[in-house]
Amino acid sequence: MLMSFLRVPLAALAVLAMSVAAGAETLKDVRKVSVGGDGSVSPAVVKMVGQQLKQAVRSTRRPVSLPKVTMDVRLSNAVRGLGTQAGRNSAQVAVVLRDRAGIPVSSEEFTVNSFMVGAKAGDKALAKAISQRVAHAYRLAPVKAATADGRPGKRQTPRSTSHSNKPSAGASVASRVEEPVIIPSEAALTVRPRVRKPKVEANASAETKPAPCVVTATTNCN
């Protein structure tokens, strides 16, 4: 009973081990890529595929040492959709891996389809589809986009803005005209102003001062 129960897991492990071994045998360390095409393939597609695959190869890192090979990619029988099939493009792709002596060690052929309306946009879409298909088949790093001339797109670097920190003549005039607005605090609004009392001159005449009231029998100061 126990042996029959273990037969299925053991068989699954055996299949998994065989698949891993087969993958290790087919996996190679691609060191160089060359791309070419016949007259049906746009030169822009050939350039973009070459640029994208070379970038993918440079970005690929293998965890173990593998046989080093070169990759030869040939594009042919490109079809550009017209009329009701406009935007439907395809091409035949043949990939050959060669060892250091130039002897083919593996080869594969497949058809790649893409859909994009417009000549330039269609070429970009087809080139990216081909590159992604090849990179996936040979376990390369993800494919990055390329420009129509086959070169990687340049990142736009911002221009130096050091001169913009200096105020212009118009800005300086505006800053002089517009004075800052000062809002007083609540405490400042509740302060009572101090009023100075007028000084009495020392030499003031006695006539300006009222005479003191003296109570007598005939005078009442009330």
Side-chain angles (χ1 to χ4, degrees), residues 2-126:
L2 181 60
M3 293 300 296
S4 61
F5 178 77
L6 293 177
R7 284 177 183 175
V8 175
L10 291 176
L13 291 176
V15 173
L16 180 61
M18 291 175 62
S19 62
V20 171
E25 292 179 359
T26 57
L27 190 62
K28 300 294 187 297
D29 187 7
V30 182
R31 307 301 297 174
K32 185 179 180 181
V33 179
S34 62
V35 181
D38 61 7
S40 65
V41 184
S42 169
V45 173
V46 176
K47 289 182 180 180
M48 284 188 285
V49 171
Q51 186 273 328
Q52 293 173 0
L53 289 180
K54 290 176 182 178
Q55 180 63 32
V57 167
R58 287 193 295 266
S59 303
T60 301
R61 297 293 181 269
R62 302 301 189 191
V64 295
S65 178
L66 296 172
K68 294 179 173 56
V69 297
T70 59
M71 176 181 287
D72 186 10
V73 181
R74 287 294 175 264
L75 311 179
S76 61
N77 299 328
V79 178
R80 187 184 300 275
L82 300 175
T84 58
Q85 300 295 322
R88 299 182 182 275
N89 306 320
S90 64
Q92 297 288 331
V93 182
V95 182
V96 178
L97 299 183
R98 303 179 186 275
D99 60 11
R100 293 183 175 180
I103 301 174
V105 294
S106 68
S107 62
E108 187 176 359
E109 295 184 4
F110 42 81
T111 302
V112 176
N113 302 306
S114 67
F115 180 83
M116 182 61 67
V117 179
K120 293 183 178 180
D123 288 346
K124 289 182 180 180
L126 183 59

Side-chain angles (χ1 to χ4, degrees), residues 184-194:
S185 62
E186 183 178 358
L189 296 175
T190 57
V191 174
R192 295 181 180 180
R194 295 182 179 181

Side-chain angles (χ1 to χ4, degrees), residues 78-210:
V79 178
R80 187 184 300 275
L82 300 175
T84 58
Q85 300 295 322
R88 299 182 182 275
N89 306 320
S90 64
Q92 297 288 331
V93 182
V95 182
V96 178
L97 299 183
R98 303 179 186 275
D99 60 11
R100 293 183 175 180
I103 301 174
V105 294
S106 68
S107 62
E108 187 176 359
E109 295 184 4
F110 42 81
T111 302
V112 176
N113 302 306
S114 67
F115 180 83
M116 182 61 67
V117 179
K120 293 183 178 180
D123 288 346
K124 289 182 180 180
L126 183 59
K128 187 173 183 181
I130 295 172
S131 302
Q132 289 178 339
R133 179 67 177 85
V134 174
H136 177 74
Y138 294 92
R139 300 182 184 180
L140 301 177
V143 172
K144 297 182 179 180
T147 57
D149 57 358
R151 295 178 297 177
K154 296 182 179 180
R155 298 179 60 184
Q156 296 293 335
T157 55
R159 295 182 179 180
S160 176
T161 56
S162 58
H163 63 279
S164 61
N165 296 331
K166 298 181 180 180
S168 59
S172 60
V173 172
S175 61
R176 290 197 299 268
V177 173
E178 296 181 0
E179 296 295 337
V181 179
I182 301 176
I183 301 176
S185 62
E186 183 178 358
L189 296 175
T190 57
V191 174
R192 295 181 180 180
R194 295 182 179 181
V195 180
R196 292 185 178 182
K197 297 181 180 180
K199 295 182 179 180
V200 179
E201 297 181 1
N203 57 355
S205 61
E207 297 179 354
T208 59
K209 298 181 180 181

